[in-house]
Amino acid sequence: MGFARTCSVALVGVEGVVVEVQADLEPGVAAFTLVGLPDKSLSESRDRVRAALVNSGAEWPQKKLTVGLSPASVPKGGSGFDLAVACAVLGAAERLDPRAIADLVMIGELGLDGRVRPVRGVLPAVLAAADAGYRQVVVPERTAAEAALVPGVSVLGVRSLRQLIAVLTDEPVPEEDEDPPGEGRPDPMLAGLALPGTAPPAGDRYGERLPDLAEVAGQARARRALEVAAAGRHHLYFLGPPGAGKTLLAERLPGLLPPLTPQESLEVTAVHSVAGFLPAGQPLIDRAPYCAPHHSASMPSLVGGGSGLPRPGAVSLAHHGVLFMDEAPEFSGRVLDALRQPLESGHVVVARSGGMMRLPAAFLLVLAANPCPCGRHGMTGEGCQCPPQAVRRYLSRLSGPLMDRVDLRVRVEPVSRSELTGAGAAAENSAVVAARVREARERAAARYVGTPWHTNSEVPGHELRTRWRAGPEALAEAERDMERGLLTARGLDRVLRVAWTVADLAGRDRPGAEDVVQALELRTGVLRGVVGAGGRP
């Protein structure tokens, strides 16, 4: 009788659970039994592991073999357990020393020839192993750089099972030649890192130059709203006719956001690794992601879903970045209202038949809409043919509770001929605006040091009214709007948050009446003559 154990990791969403892989050999008819709530792809590991061992020069034990995955109550799926199962079998057969593999965490898929293929979710799996106290992990060589992002963990990247056996038995490590992909063909070893039939989220262009704000002609108020949104992480709504530049503006928002902190980078990379969107050759995402789902997107694609345990949706792929919803009224009402929970909490809880999980979703929302179904309402020239009822019905698809959570609402007017031909003053580029945003963020972070908040949009209204008060009589205009029914209590708190952001951008210690009036204009869309032609107060 032989027994051995090693460890691997089961992913539940973007969180990992360390799984003990146990192998037991007993006299009897040769059979291979896998227990522990495996899914179909994991059950098929029996044939992959057997072929990989034989083709790696190891002898398959001709006994009754039972492999258990513990804890048995946690659903387990995917091919990432192959490497751990193979080593546990070799340990039970005394081909490997069971003590040498007991404290190792192994992640990787085995090919029939014994090569170790990369799998999705290596980063969150290694993070889970590190949190559980494990300090040595074995991963496919192609994902070793991703695993090495976790501090305090020793990472061994291997190309084949033969190499791993040699390392564990102190034998010379054989050289494994890699077959380079043909010219113009993708590397087949990286095929497992992306879901079949999927592509990176729309607008997510890793490795390319970020669009520059200087390319936007005119739109002083919309440019100012972008700057305020980036500085305070305020959600934004653009309303304007087709061709006015709403999408152009939204695509330039990620370039204004500060670089991700090391912790934020790990969180974003973990989500994209699990979803299969991590760019090849880029183990760490260090800039804010940008996700722009089509208006036909379903509920699972937006908040997370799929058969069995759900996978991250667009709100999680935009974590610490920008979620842009163009043609927002064309989205399903249920899909739009599903945003209300993550907008408040920064995460989304998804329940499916396979289980319940919590996915991160702290994103900056940008909504864009036309003024009517035809898009010409209020324009000169060929007029709008939509009846008033159709216009009201179109815009009412954005529910009041959702819009109440959007701090900035700006009407984007068509660009004039002089602005489009460059007759006006040169517009600021993204680098100049991003520098102001970074200074405003630093000012807010210094103010909130020692608190759980980092940006103005996160601070509860009660704290801003009592702990960090605005200047004398600064809220007079906002209080009048509240008495007239133009603002709710939540709206007043959000105006105060935006006012603090405006003050931070201007370098003031606290917001005054001018900052509050500008915040009211950005909140209500009612022009009050605060923002000048240059887009600054």
Side-chain angles (χ1 to χ4, degrees):
M1 176 179 175
F3 176 83
R5 64 181 180 86
T6 188
C7 295
S8 191
V9 178
L11 289 177
V12 183
V14 294
E15 298 179 357
V17 178
V18 175
V19 173
E20 189 175 86
V21 181
Q22 304 171 341
D24 178 70
L25 282 175
E26 296 180 356
V29 178
F32 188 172
T33 304
L34 182 65
V35 297
L37 214 58
D39 71 351
K40 180 67 173 177
S41 60
L42 180 51
S43 298
E44 292 175 348
S45 68
R46 293 175 294 189
D47 299 319
R48 292 194 299 271
V49 169
R50 181 187 290 109
L53 258 66
V54 173
N55 290 325
S56 297
E59 183 179 350
W60 183 258
Q62 298 300 317
K63 296 182 179 180
K64 180 182 178 181
L65 171 62
T66 303
V67 174
L69 308 175
S70 180
S73 59
V74 176
K76 305 166 191 73
S79 56
F81 291 87
D82 289 1
L83 198 58
V85 170
C87 288
V89 171
L90 291 173
E94 299 182 352
R95 176 66 176 86
L96 297 176
D97 184 355
R99 294 171 297 181
I101 62 175
D103 295 324
L104 290 180
V105 174
M106 302 185 186
I107 305 161
E109 174 187 333
L110 286 176
L112 299 185
D113 57 356
R115 288 186 300 171
V116 181
R117 301 178 65 92
V119 294
R120 296 187 303 272
V122 167
L123 177 59
V126 177
L127 283 170
D131 291 341
Y134 291 88
R135 292 294 174 260
Q136 291 182 307
V137 298
V138 181
V139 299
E141 186 181 57
R142 296 295 182 91
T143 57
E146 182 182 343
L149 296 173
V150 182
V153 175
S154 175
V155 177
L156 173 63
V158 294
R159 291 185 182 178
S160 68
L161 181 60
R162 288 198 311 153
Q163 285 188 338
L164 179 56
I165 294 173
V167 171
L168 295 175
T169 56
D170 292 328
E171 297 174 359
V173 179
E175 290 291 334
E176 295 286 354
D177 295 331
E178 288 189 293
D179 297 329
E183 185 177 355
R185 296 172 56 191
D187 190 341
M189 289 295 288
L190 300 178
L193 298 182
L195 290 172
T198 61
D204 212 346
R205 307 181 181 94
Y206 298 105
E208 296 184 10
R209 181 187 68 87
L210 287 174
D212 199 297
L213 196 58
E215 300 164 355
V216 179
Q219 304 298 357
R221 294 185 182 278
R223 291 168 60 95
R224 177 60 172 171
L226 274 186
E227 183 177 344
V228 173
R233 288 192 73 251
H234 302 288
H235 305 303
L236 178 60
Y237 171 56
F238 285 138
L239 177 67
K246 302 186 295 294
T247 302
L248 203 67
L249 288 160
E251 289 178 342
R252 280 141 184 82
L253 182 53
L256 306 183
L257 297 175
L260 299 179
T261 65
Q263 180 61 34
E264 290 172 345
S265 293
L266 289 178
E267 293 176 10
V268 173
T269 303
V271 173
H272 285 241
S273 177
V274 170
F277 291 140
L278 193 62
Q282 184 178 347
L284 183 67
I285 298 175
D286 57 1
R287 74 186 194 205
Y290 175 77
C291 190
H294 191 261
H295 62 257
S296 62
S298 63
M299 178 82 75
S301 70
L302 190 71
V303 301
S307 59
L309 288 174
R311 296 187 182 276
V315 296
S316 296
L317 294 172
H319 184 53
H320 291 312
V322 177
L323 177 66
F324 176 50
M325 303 184 73
D326 199 5
E327 306 290 348
E330 299 293 344
F331 281 80
S332 162
R334 292 180 61 251
V335 169
L336 289 171
D337 286 338
L339 298 173
R340 287 155 57 178
Q341 179 202 358
L343 285 178
E344 289 288 339
S345 62
H347 65 267
V348 61
V349 178
V350 183
R352 293 292 185 271
S353 60
M356 180 182 294
M357 66 182 58
R358 181 178 181 269
L359 298 169
F363 55 88
L364 200 166
L365 176 66
V366 180
L367 299 171
N370 294 329
C372 67
C374 76
R376 296 191 296 271
H377 184 69
M379 294 181 63
T380 58
E382 187 178 354
C384 172
Q385 302 297 321
C386 302
Q389 297 88 344
V391 175
R392 288 195 298 269
R393 186 166 56 249
Y394 181 75
L395 293 179
S396 66
R397 294 178 184 176
L398 301 176
S399 67
L402 172 64
M403 293 303 298
D404 205 29
R405 291 167 168 80
V406 178
D407 296 347
L408 311 176
R409 307 172 188 177
V410 177
R411 186 170 184 94
V412 182
E413 301 293 346
V415 181
S416 66
R417 182 171 60 88
S418 61
E419 291 173 329
L420 192 59
T421 56
E428 290 181 319
N429 59 31
S430 292
V432 174
V433 179
R436 288 200 300 267
V437 168
R438 185 168 56 252
E439 292 174 1
R441 286 276 189 112
E442 292 172 353
R443 192 173 289 111
R447 182 168 61 249
Y448 302 133
V449 66
T451 72
W453 314 299
H454 302 90
T455 58
N456 294 319
S457 64
E458 303 172 75
V459 185
H462 173 74
E463 297 290 336
L464 292 179
R465 293 192 303 269
T466 58
R467 189 171 176 181
W468 293 286
R469 294 178 177 272
E473 302 298 324
L475 292 175
E477 185 77 12
E479 291 169 353
R480 283 194 293 270
D481 279 8
M482 188 175 181
E483 290 174 357
R484 292 195 293 263
L486 299 177
L487 278 180
T488 64
R490 176 188 288 167
L492 180 64
D493 288 343
R494 292 186 177 274
V495 165
L496 193 52
R497 294 173 185 172
V498 175
W500 270 103
T501 301
V502 174
D504 286 336
L505 285 168
R508 288 188 276 271
D509 293 334
R510 59 176 177 170
E514 182 181 357
D515 302 316
V516 174
V517 169
Q518 186 177 166
L520 279 169
E521 176 181 321
L522 292 171
R523 169 72 182 180
T524 62
V526 178
L527 304 183
R528 306 179 187 226
V530 176
V531 179
R536 303 199 62 193

